[in-house]
Short mmCIF file of all heavy atoms in Angstrom, two decimals:
data_model
loop_
_atom_site.label_atom_id
_atom_site.label_comp_id
_atom_site.label_asym_id
_atom_site.label_seq_id
_atom_site.Cartn_x
_atom_site.Cartn_y
_atom_site.Cartn_z
N TRP A 252 13.68 2.66 27.54
CA TRP A 252 14.96 1.96 27.36
C TRP A 252 14.77 0.47 27.08
O TRP A 252 15.65 -0.17 26.55
CB TRP A 252 15.86 2.15 28.59
CG TRP A 252 15.29 1.64 29.88
CD1 TRP A 252 15.00 0.36 30.21
CD2 TRP A 252 14.95 2.42 31.03
NE1 TRP A 252 14.50 0.28 31.48
CE2 TRP A 252 14.47 1.54 32.02
CE3 TRP A 252 15.02 3.78 31.32
CZ2 TRP A 252 14.05 1.98 33.27
CZ3 TRP A 252 14.61 4.20 32.57
CH2 TRP A 252 14.12 3.31 33.52
N ASN A 253 13.59 -0.08 27.42
CA ASN A 253 13.35 -1.50 27.17
C ASN A 253 12.87 -1.78 25.75
O ASN A 253 12.87 -2.93 25.31
CB ASN A 253 12.32 -2.05 28.16
CG ASN A 253 12.88 -2.15 29.56
OD1 ASN A 253 14.07 -2.41 29.74
ND2 ASN A 253 12.05 -1.92 30.57
N SER A 254 12.46 -0.74 25.03
CA SER A 254 11.94 -0.95 23.68
C SER A 254 12.82 -0.36 22.59
O SER A 254 12.63 -0.64 21.42
CB SER A 254 10.54 -0.32 23.57
OG SER A 254 10.59 1.07 23.85
N PHE A 255 13.82 0.47 22.98
CA PHE A 255 14.59 1.19 21.97
C PHE A 255 16.07 0.84 21.99
O PHE A 255 16.71 0.78 20.95
CB PHE A 255 14.43 2.70 22.19
CG PHE A 255 15.33 3.54 21.33
CD1 PHE A 255 15.08 3.68 19.98
CD2 PHE A 255 16.45 4.16 21.87
CE1 PHE A 255 15.92 4.45 19.18
CE2 PHE A 255 17.29 4.92 21.07
CZ PHE A 255 17.02 5.06 19.73
N ILE A 256 16.63 0.59 23.15
CA ILE A 256 18.08 0.49 23.27
C ILE A 256 18.64 -0.78 22.64
O ILE A 256 19.73 -0.79 22.08
CB ILE A 256 18.49 0.57 24.76
CG1 ILE A 256 18.01 1.90 25.35
CG2 ILE A 256 19.99 0.45 24.91
CD1 ILE A 256 18.53 3.12 24.62
N GLY A 257 17.91 -1.90 22.70
CA GLY A 257 18.45 -3.15 22.19
C GLY A 257 19.27 -3.86 23.26
O GLY A 257 19.09 -3.66 24.45
N HIS A 258 20.19 -4.73 22.83
CA HIS A 258 21.01 -5.48 23.78
C HIS A 258 22.01 -4.56 24.48
O HIS A 258 22.47 -3.58 23.91
CB HIS A 258 21.75 -6.60 23.06
CG HIS A 258 20.84 -7.61 22.43
ND1 HIS A 258 19.90 -8.30 23.14
CD2 HIS A 258 20.73 -8.05 21.14
CE1 HIS A 258 19.24 -9.12 22.33
NE2 HIS A 258 19.73 -8.98 21.12
N ALA A 259 22.33 -4.91 25.72
CA ALA A 259 23.24 -4.08 26.51
C ALA A 259 24.69 -4.41 26.21
O ALA A 259 25.02 -5.48 25.68
CB ALA A 259 22.95 -4.29 28.00
N ALA A 260 25.57 -3.45 26.57
CA ALA A 260 27.02 -3.62 26.33
C ALA A 260 27.66 -4.36 27.50
O ALA A 260 28.55 -3.85 28.17
CB ALA A 260 27.67 -2.25 26.13
N ASN A 261 27.21 -5.59 27.74
CA ASN A 261 27.74 -6.39 28.84
C ASN A 261 27.57 -7.88 28.51
O ASN A 261 27.17 -8.23 27.39
CB ASN A 261 27.03 -6.03 30.15
CG ASN A 261 25.51 -6.10 30.03
OD1 ASN A 261 24.97 -6.69 29.10
ND2 ASN A 261 24.81 -5.50 30.98
N ILE A 262 27.87 -8.72 29.48
CA ILE A 262 27.76 -10.17 29.24
C ILE A 262 26.32 -10.56 28.91
O ILE A 262 26.06 -11.36 28.01
CB ILE A 262 28.27 -10.94 30.47
CG1 ILE A 262 29.79 -10.82 30.56
CG2 ILE A 262 27.88 -12.42 30.39
CD1 ILE A 262 30.39 -11.50 31.77
N ARG A 263 25.38 -9.97 29.63
CA ARG A 263 23.97 -10.26 29.37
C ARG A 263 23.62 -9.94 27.91
O ARG A 263 22.96 -10.74 27.23
CB ARG A 263 23.10 -9.44 30.31
CG ARG A 263 21.61 -9.51 30.04
CD ARG A 263 20.88 -8.40 30.77
NE ARG A 263 19.51 -8.26 30.35
CZ ARG A 263 18.79 -7.17 30.53
NH1 ARG A 263 19.32 -6.12 31.11
NH2 ARG A 263 17.54 -7.11 30.12
N GLY A 264 24.08 -8.78 27.42
CA GLY A 264 23.78 -8.40 26.04
C GLY A 264 24.42 -9.34 25.03
O GLY A 264 23.79 -9.69 24.01
N VAL A 265 25.67 -9.76 25.28
CA VAL A 265 26.36 -10.68 24.37
C VAL A 265 25.64 -12.02 24.31
O VAL A 265 25.40 -12.58 23.23
CB VAL A 265 27.83 -10.87 24.81
CG1 VAL A 265 28.50 -11.95 23.98
CG2 VAL A 265 28.59 -9.55 24.68
N VAL A 266 25.26 -12.52 25.50
CA VAL A 266 24.57 -13.82 25.54
C VAL A 266 23.22 -13.74 24.85
O VAL A 266 22.85 -14.63 24.06
CB VAL A 266 24.41 -14.29 27.01
CG1 VAL A 266 23.49 -15.50 27.08
CG2 VAL A 266 25.77 -14.62 27.61
N GLU A 267 22.46 -12.69 25.12
CA GLU A 267 21.13 -12.57 24.53
C GLU A 267 21.18 -12.41 23.02
O GLU A 267 20.25 -12.81 22.31
CB GLU A 267 20.38 -11.40 25.16
CG GLU A 267 19.96 -11.65 26.60
CD GLU A 267 19.15 -10.51 27.18
OE1 GLU A 267 19.05 -9.46 26.53
OE2 GLU A 267 18.61 -10.68 28.29
N SER A 268 22.28 -11.82 22.50
CA SER A 268 22.40 -11.67 21.05
C SER A 268 22.73 -12.99 20.36
O SER A 268 22.46 -13.15 19.17
CB SER A 268 23.48 -10.63 20.73
OG SER A 268 24.77 -11.11 21.08
N LEU A 269 23.31 -13.92 21.12
CA LEU A 269 23.71 -15.21 20.54
C LEU A 269 22.68 -16.31 20.76
O LEU A 269 22.62 -17.27 19.98
CB LEU A 269 25.06 -15.65 21.13
CG LEU A 269 26.25 -14.74 20.84
CD1 LEU A 269 27.49 -15.23 21.57
CD2 LEU A 269 26.51 -14.66 19.34
N CYS A 270 21.88 -16.17 21.82
CA CYS A 270 20.89 -17.20 22.13
C CYS A 270 19.52 -16.77 21.62
O CYS A 270 19.13 -15.61 21.77
CB CYS A 270 20.81 -17.44 23.63
SG CYS A 270 22.28 -18.20 24.32
N PRO A 271 18.76 -17.68 21.04
CA PRO A 271 17.43 -17.33 20.51
C PRO A 271 16.48 -16.95 21.65
O PRO A 271 16.53 -17.52 22.74
CB PRO A 271 16.98 -18.61 19.80
CG PRO A 271 17.79 -19.71 20.42
CD PRO A 271 19.10 -19.09 20.79
#
Side-chain angles (χ1 to χ4, degrees):
W252 60 64
N253 289 327
S254 59
F255 172 74
I256 301 302
H258 298 303
N261 53 16
I262 288 178
R263 173 195 169 200
V265 173
V266 170
E267 289 184 352
S268 68
L269 297 176
C270 292

